[in-house]
Amino acid sequence: MKTWANVNALYQIYPRSFKDSNGDGIGDLRGIIDYLDHVRSKHHSLGIDAVWISPFYTSPMVDMGYDVSNYTDVDPIFGTLADFKELVQKAHNRGIKVVIDYVPNHTSSEHPWFKQAIGDPKSPKRDYYIWRKPAPNGAAPNNWVSLFGGSAWEFDPLSGEYYLHSFFKQQPDLNWENPAVREEMKNVLRFWLDLGVDGFRMDAVNHMAKDLEWRDEPLREGGVEGTYDGHVRKYSKYGPQLVPYLRELGEVIEEYPDRIMFFESIVDGSIGPIAEQYRMLYDVNPRIGVPFNFGGMWLPWGAKSYGDYIREFQGMLKPGEIAGYCFSNHDQPRIASRFGKEQARIIAMLLLTLPGIPTVYYGDEIGMENVPVDPSQRTDMSAQSGVFGGRDPFRTPMQWDSSKNAGFSTHEPWLPVAKNYKRANVANERRHDGSFLTLYRHLLAIRNHDETMKRGDYRELLIDETKNVLVYERTYESSTYIVALNFSNKQRHVTLPYDAHHVILTTNPVKQPKTHTHGRITLRPYEGAIIFV
Ligand code: NOJ
């Protein structure tokens, strides 16, 4: 199996929506086992070396599993611990590494720790969570706002105190100041490491440490009090203890060879330069700690915005540090819906020709779009908060084939299947040269061919703001590729800095003869090309 330094990409599987094996309309671990071939096998697979499986732990599912009530067991809707062990073994047999979610900031309010803590204020578990007395007027202790709307404090009538929840009130924040909490949570890591997992995607880590004086968040200019975006969120997250907490976790993970931790840490421009926040996260443990680079999720379309963003990020990295580009996930609108289908092909080429370990969100490889979900069918409660506007449309069932329910389940799925599934599905796209899936497979084949895309240098060759074209070079030892991306809806002639030869891949599904470029290439509207030098 490859080491993390050689892994080509991470494939995010949302277990509820990947494949249902037992006909209850909800995806499960057995479904993942049965469809591992799609990820990496000898024929027709994506050819990806690692998967990240979103939460499958015991949970009341208020936040679709990010509200964990037992960190060391599998929720029955997803299967059993024995299924998980089999999954790890079968993935490893195929050379696929397994990354799982780790949710350190909060538990479910149904977790036994919280039940004891709220049921008996004298319980030893009370201090596992964050309790504060009301403000003198009886209101919440400070003005912190939950990401999902409303105050981040919930009143507990039994004790007359408030507890903190950075997300839903059913997700009380753990008190990481308490060494007992840190020990418990380190044991959770050990439990899964002992089962052979290769790494963790660490949820919402920036929230783990808070301001220890519990100060009010300042209001932004023109910001509305009580709204999440109205405040400079400098005290409710990124507290002074964050790096030490993460280092402690990193030490446990490093007890096991070749493991990794991907930090989910939404960098926040309201509190200071983003590059500094990434730097801080890399400095936690540059050997094994990789922050997801989320900047690409919110960029406006355009060669300049992407080009500037990549230059700034690459410029901040130190030698040997792994970039973790991530342009979509279960919290964000689908790329094809954000920008359009042709544009999504450009983003695919960009993502898979950048250094490090890029993340591919399940379904993006077949061009999945947001699927409208009727309010009566909604499951994501964040829809009510207005912050995310509901994430169901980006979490719909994987489209495997043109049979009923897109081959996802024999039962009506928990969320609707995309209307266009008869065309946009894995089986169909495997057969077509111009499909999204074929493009992804070719991009990954180039990424696998040698080390250039993974570990080579990134050098910007051209950002033409007027023509909306971005060109960069990737080099490793004697191998060089040029990537030229036309973000505009017009044909563009691009002069390369030297005499480059073979166009080895273009994003345009219409076949065209491979061109010898000899220093000049013509890109059709929204076309990207990889040129081997
Ligand atoms: C980030 C996860 O990606 C999101 O789905 C979840 O709601 C929050 N963290 C809270 O755990």
Side-chain angles (χ1 to χ4, degrees):
M1 188 145 43
K2 293 188 184 161
T3 65
W4 277 111
N6 300 93
V7 156
N8 57 13
L10 185 64
Y11 182 66
Q12 182 188 354
I13 293 178
Y14 198 67
R16 285 185 89 85
S17 289
F18 195 62
K19 173 70 191 164
D20 172 21
S21 74
N22 63 351
D24 63 358
I26 298 176
D28 43 48
L29 297 182
R30 171 82 29 212
I32 301 175
I33 295 172
D34 292 345
Y35 278 64
L36 279 174
D37 272 357
H38 175 63
V39 181
R40 198 172 197 262
S41 60
K42 285 213 178 73
H43 304 290
H44 305 300
S45 78
L46 276 169
I48 289 189
D49 301 331
V51 291
W52 147 33
I53 307 170
S54 295
F56 49 81
Y57 314 108
T58 322
S59 164
M61 304 288 165
V62 173
D63 190 16
M64 284 306 149
Y66 283 98
D67 48 323
V68 181
S69 54
N70 183 350
Y71 283 107
T72 53
D73 207 352
V74 172
D75 194 281
I77 65 164
F78 294 124
T80 63
L81 206 50
D83 293 335
F84 181 75
K85 290 181 191 165
E86 187 181 329
L87 195 165
V88 172
Q89 193 209 343
K90 295 206 161 139
H92 284 175
N93 289 347
R94 284 177 171 72
I96 302 170
K97 290 185 182 290
V98 178
V99 170
I100 59 174
D101 244 287
Y102 174 73
V103 189
N105 180 66
H106 43 266
T107 67
S108 159
S109 51
E110 294 296 307
H111 195 291
W113 298 340
F114 189 72
K115 284 197 183 159
Q116 287 173 47
I118 197 163
D120 173 9
K122 298 214 163 53
S123 142
K125 297 290 184 287
R126 181 78 172 178
D127 198 30
Y128 273 35
Y129 296 88
I130 297 169
W131 303 91
R132 310 289 300 166
K133 295 210 175 339
N137 64 357
N142 65 26
N143 71 354
W144 295 359
V145 177
S146 145
L147 183 73
F148 292 144
S151 170
W153 297 95
E154 181 70 12
F155 187 64
D156 163 34
L158 182 69
S159 63
E161 291 185 327
Y162 284 83
Y163 70 83
L164 183 69
H165 59 93
S166 298
F167 296 88
F168 289 122
K169 65 176 185 209
Q170 296 91 337
Q171 294 169 293
D173 281 31
L174 282 166
N175 175 17
W176 279 77
E177 279 293 282
N178 181 349
V181 167
R182 300 207 294 277
E183 270 326 298
E184 298 263 21
M185 293 305 286
K186 288 195 275 188
N187 286 336
V188 172
L189 291 176
R190 291 189 181 104
F191 176 85
W192 295 104
L193 287 161
D194 286 337
L195 292 187
V197 308
D198 301 283
F200 300 92
R201 176 270 190 187
M202 306 181 73
D203 184 69
V205 293
N206 47 347
H207 289 270
M208 285 166 65
K210 286 90 174 158
D211 174 49
L212 296 175
E213 293 169 47
W214 310 98
R215 281 170 279 192
D216 276 345
E217 309 265 44
L219 211 56
R220 273 174 138 166
E221 228 185 281
V224 177
E225 183 73 51
T227 61
Y228 190 73
D229 286 334
H231 295 270
V232 180
R233 298 171 295 258
K234 60 191 276 195
Y235 295 129
S236 57
K237 54 189 187 180
Y238 282 115
Q241 289 303 102
L242 179 57
V243 171
Y245 295 158
L246 294 177
R247 283 208 175 122
E248 242 182 277
L249 297 177
E251 278 165 24
V252 173
I253 296 172
E254 266 199 316
E255 287 166 13
Y256 297 72
D258 196 36
R259 304 300 210 269
I260 201 165
M261 49 183 181
F262 293 100
F263 300 128
E264 192 232 13
S265 173
I266 305 220
V267 292
D268 187 337
S270 84
I271 57 179
I274 280 172
E276 280 176 21
Q277 292 164 47
Y278 282 126
R279 191 64 262 149
M280 177 181 89
L281 291 164
Y282 274 105
D283 288 343
V284 166
N285 184 334
R287 291 180 298 279
I288 60 159
V290 178
F292 280 127
N293 181 345
F294 284 137
M297 292 199 185
W298 305 293
L299 288 180
W301 181 252
K304 182 162 163 51
S305 69
Y306 278 88
D308 286 351
Y309 145 78
I310 295 159
R311 182 189 337 100
E312 190 188 331
F313 186 77
Q314 289 301 127
M316 176 275 312
L317 289 179
K318 292 183 183 161
E321 289 176 349
I322 297 175
Y325 289 99
C326 182
F327 292 162
S328 56
N329 67 18
H330 61 290
D331 294 328
Q332 303 297 330
R334 291 276 181 186
I335 300 172
S337 299
R338 249 148 60 193
F339 298 123
K341 287 227 162 207
E342 289 167 287
Q343 291 90 329
R345 298 171 74 93
I346 297 271
I347 296 294
M349 183 169 277
L350 175 73
L351 176 69
L352 292 174
T353 55
L354 288 176
I357 305 177
T359 302
V360 174
Y361 181 46
Y362 88 92
D364 281 354
E365 77 275 27
I366 52 168
M368 271 177 74
E369 295 168 89
N370 295 346
V371 177
V373 177
D374 187 82
S376 64
Q377 263 188 293
R378 273 189 194 154
T379 67
D380 178 25
M381 319 250 290
S382 79
Q384 283 140 27
S385 76
V387 176
F388 281 116
R391 295 165 289 181
D392 292 329
F394 343 133
R395 299 174 171 179
T396 59
M398 180 66 170
Q399 299 149 212
W400 292 107
D401 57 40
S402 57
S403 67
K404 196 163 182 240
N405 303 325
F408 164 74
S409 174
T410 51
H411 187 279
E412 174 156 356
W414 72 288
L415 282 178
V417 171
K419 285 217 164 57
N420 68 349
Y421 80 87
K422 292 213 158 126
R423 192 171 30 84
N425 64 61
V426 172
N428 191 30
E429 295 201 14
R430 260 186 202 154
R431 291 193 290 267
H432 289 102
D433 284 354
S435 70
F436 260 92
L437 186 56
T438 305
L439 175 66
Y440 268 82
R441 291 180 52 218
H442 286 161
L443 286 165
L444 282 150
I446 294 171
R447 210 173 170 81
N448 279 336
H449 181 257
D450 59 28
E451 294 304 295
T452 316
M453 294 301 183
K454 290 172 266 181
R455 293 195 285 161
D457 290 338
Y458 171 92
R459 188 161 75 99
E460 181 182 300
L461 297 180
L462 170 79
I463 296 182
D464 187 328
E465 199 176 353
T466 323
K467 285 188 170 171
N468 220 357
V469 168
L470 168 66
V471 186
Y472 51 89
E473 180 189 72
R474 302 295 322 280
T475 44
Y476 186 77
E477 295 175 347
S478 59
S479 162
T480 299
Y481 298 86
I482 292 177
V483 181
L485 304 173
N486 177 9
F487 282 75
S488 83
N489 59 1
K490 309 234 162 32
Q491 177 170 292
R492 297 293 189 207
H493 305 291
V494 182
T495 305
L496 304 173
Y498 45 79
D499 190 8
H501 296 291
H502 307 290
V503 174
I504 54 169
L505 183 65
T506 92
T507 57
N508 195 318
V510 180
K511 270 202 169 172
Q512 60 170 12
K514 286 190 177 145
T515 33
H516 277 268
T517 59
H518 291 298
R520 199 171 146 84
I521 180 169
T522 301
L523 296 171
R524 290 169 287 177
Y526 298 127
E527 183 169 41
I530 303 180
I531 302 134
F532 187 64
V533 179

